[in-house]
Amino acid sequence: MRILLEEIFRIYKKEFLSITFLWMLDTTEALILLLNPYVIGMGIDGLIQKDFFWFSVLMAMEVAFSVVLTVNKFCDTRVYMRIIEDEKNMYYQRFIEAGMDDSLISSRMEMVEEVSEFLEFDLFSILNVIGGIIVSLVLLLFNYNYIVFGRALFVSA
C-alpha cells in the first residue's frame, strides 16, 4: 500500500496542474449533481407561485453541467492516456535494463494502468461519496429539525 501511495504522489507531482484541473472539473460536476435535487424542489415551488427564478437557475445549472461534463471527458482521456504512456515507457525502459522476463514486464505494465485508474476514478469517487454525505447532512441540519439530522448522522456513521 505504501508503494502505491508513493507512486500516486509521484505521478500527481509530475502532472500537478493537469490532474488538479481535472479534479476541479470533477468537483464542479459533483456540486451541480448535489445541488440539483434542492434546486429542482425550489424550482417546482417557485413555478407553483409563478416565480421563474429557481427554474432559470435550474436551466443554467443543466447547461453548465453539460459544458463541464463535455470539457472534463475531452481533457480526461487525453491527460490520463498521456500519463499512462509516459509511465509505461519509463517502466519498460527500467525493466529492460534490469533484464526482467517478458511475462513479468507485461504484468507490471498492467499495474501502471491501475495507478492511473485510481487517480481517474476511484479516488474521486471516494471523495464524492464523503462530500455527498456531508452536504446532505448540512442540508438536513438547516432545513429540518435536529431529530431528523441526528437520525441521519447516526445512519451515516
Side-chain angles (χ1 to χ4, degrees), residues 24-91:
M24 187 179 68
L25 291 174
D26 287 335
T27 302
T28 304
E29 280 181 41
L31 288 174
I32 291 172
L33 289 174
L34 284 171
L35 292 174
N36 209 24
Y38 179 75
V39 174
I40 287 172
M42 296 301 287
I44 291 171
D45 292 344
L47 286 176
I48 291 171
Q49 299 169 2
K50 298 190 184 200
D51 178 19
F52 295 100
F53 174 75
W54 284 104
F55 182 72
S56 301
V57 170
L58 178 63
M59 291 299 108
M61 277 179 44
E62 294 303 320
V63 169
F65 181 75
S66 297
V67 170
V68 169
L69 183 66
T70 303
V71 170
N72 189 9
K73 295 307 168 199
F74 180 79
C75 295
D76 192 277
T77 304
R78 282 152 183 76
V79 168
Y80 286 115
M81 288 307 291
R82 186 180 71 236
I83 290 171
I84 289 172
E85 182 179 340
D86 290 345
E87 292 300 309
K88 279 188 173 185
N89 288 338
M90 183 192 70
Y91 277 111

Side-chain angles (χ1 to χ4, degrees), residues 62-145:
E62 294 303 320
V63 169
F65 181 75
S66 297
V67 170
V68 169
L69 183 66
T70 303
V71 170
N72 189 9
K73 295 307 168 199
F74 180 79
C75 295
D76 192 277
T77 304
R78 282 152 183 76
V79 168
Y80 286 115
M81 288 307 291
R82 186 180 71 236
I83 290 171
I84 289 172
E85 182 179 340
D86 290 345
E87 292 300 309
K88 279 188 173 185
N89 288 338
M90 183 192 70
Y91 277 111
Y92 190 73
Q93 182 179 5
R94 189 183 301 170
F95 293 153
I96 290 295
E97 289 172 359
M100 289 187 163
D101 188 285
D102 287 343
S103 62
L104 185 60
I105 292 173
S106 178
S107 66
R108 296 280 172 93
M109 289 298 116
E110 290 177 16
M111 289 172 41
V112 169
E113 290 181 22
E114 290 178 15
V115 171
S116 179
E117 287 174 4
F118 179 79
L119 284 171
E120 185 177 0
F121 300 112
D122 300 334
L123 180 63
F124 194 76
S125 295
I126 293 167
L127 295 176
N128 198 11
V129 168
I130 292 169
I133 290 171
I134 291 170
V135 168
S136 298
L137 288 172
V138 168
L139 287 174
L140 285 174
L141 177 64
F142 290 116
N143 290 322
Y144 295 99
N145 58 27

